[in-house]
Amino acid sequence: MLTISAHKMEIKFEDVIRNAASGLQVVTVEADVTNSETSEELWSLITRAADDLRSVTEMSDINKRPGIKATREAYKALGKEPNRYRPSSEALCRRVVKGLELYRINALVDLINLISMQSGYSIGGFDIDKIEGDTLVLGAGRCEEPFEGIGRGTLNIENLPVYRDKVGGVGTPTSDNERTKLDLTTSRLLMCINIYGEEMPVDDTVALTVSLLERFADAKNINVKIYRP
């Protein structure tokens, strides 16, 4: 069941993002979900997509993909060096092209990685029940702003695009925060698909996302909205 209507979470933008990324589109996908260990069926889709990407992509091609290139340009406009703090979609594709094994986390995280690999977009995945308030504001990271990246420890998010709730940062295109991460107890999902420059068409990205969520996370009450600065 897909609706394009009532949703809990709102996205707002600070002027610094409007100035740095005027073409940005943020697609939010909310759903009631059942998370689980990653099935062999899902993992086979991921490994096949990785093989396909590796077979047609040179390392030098990755940062030229439209979705990745535009995200890197937004980083530069904000004053962040994208080679030191790579967007997650770029880091994932680099790992694949190098022939390194992908991490197997859980169904929600892994299907988000699959969408990211195929679309070129960095995607935030959040447990709604761990978000404080009903609004996320996309701004730029401040000097020494605390942020605990998932599996990365303290991350320097100064000048990175960052979503904040009432407590602080929950996600950047480089890494999401430990505080709001998806785990096997997650029952309400928020995805933020960060489209700084269009690669996979938005409608196709939404269709792929909804299909995977229904197939592998028994998603219900799916709500989709598109925001622009």
Side-chain angles (χ1 to χ4, degrees):
M1 178 168 54
L2 170 65
T3 59
I4 314 290
S5 55
H7 57 287
K8 175 182 181 293
M9 200 61 55
E10 292 284 342
I11 305 295
K12 295 183 178 178
F13 301 90
E14 294 182 352
D15 286 343
V16 66
I17 295 295
R18 293 190 182 93
N19 295 335
S22 58
L24 173 64
Q25 300 177 80
V26 176
V27 179
T28 60
V29 181
E30 291 188 46
D32 297 330
V33 293
T34 302
N35 201 9
S36 64
E37 301 290 353
T38 301
S39 67
E40 293 305 321
E41 185 183 6
L42 174 55
W43 195 247
S44 71
L45 290 181
I46 292 167
T47 54
R48 195 178 316 144
D51 289 343
D52 290 346
L53 179 67
R54 196 179 299 115
S55 69
V56 298
T57 308
E58 301 289 336
M59 192 66 74
S60 59
D61 298 332
I62 294 171
N63 63 14
K64 298 182 180 69
R65 290 185 64 174
I68 293 171
K69 181 181 179 185
T71 308
R72 290 171 58 89
E73 287 170 352
Y75 278 30
K76 290 177 184 175
L78 290 168
K80 199 70 169 179
E81 172 47 60
N83 287 333
R84 290 192 62 197
Y85 299 88
R86 297 186 193 280
S88 60
S89 52
E90 180 183 358
L92 177 65
C93 291
R94 287 175 64 87
R95 186 172 184 84
V96 166
V97 172
K98 282 179 181 175
L100 300 175
E101 236 180 278
L102 294 176
Y103 299 110
R104 186 165 174 164
I105 310 297
N106 58 56
L108 288 175
V109 172
D110 292 338
L111 72 82
I112 287 172
N113 284 340
L114 174 58
I115 299 162
S116 184
M117 195 190 319
Q118 294 187 312
S119 67
Y121 304 137
S122 294
I123 302 171
F126 311 106
D127 186 322
I128 288 179
D129 292 327
K130 298 175 184 175
I131 293 174
E132 297 294 331
D134 58 7
T135 302
L136 290 181
V137 179
L138 182 58
R142 296 184 277 265
C143 180
E144 297 186 0
E145 182 173 1
F147 192 96
E148 189 79 6
I150 297 174
R152 303 174 66 122
T154 301
L155 182 68
N156 173 10
I157 64 167
E158 184 178 7
N159 297 331
L160 275 180
V162 58
Y163 292 99
R164 298 184 183 93
D165 66 3
K166 286 182 176 179
V167 173
V170 301
T172 75
T174 290
S175 174
D176 291 336
N177 197 307
E178 285 278 357
R179 175 167 63 89
T180 50
K181 74 178 181 182
L182 303 169
D183 59 31
L184 292 176
T185 69
T186 298
S187 61
R188 294 203 301 153
L189 166 73
L190 171 67
M191 288 172 57
C192 292
I193 304 172
N194 299 291
I195 304 177
Y196 283 88
E198 193 163 323
E199 183 169 338
M200 179 182 280
V202 172
D203 288 350
D204 293 350
T205 306
V206 170
L208 174 63
T209 300
V210 169
S211 170
L212 290 171
L213 285 172
E214 289 179 334
R215 184 173 171 188
F216 296 110
D218 193 28
K220 304 284 194 302
N221 300 318
I222 301 172
N223 296 288
V224 177
K225 186 161 185 184
I226 301 172
Y227 294 88
R228 297 176 179 86

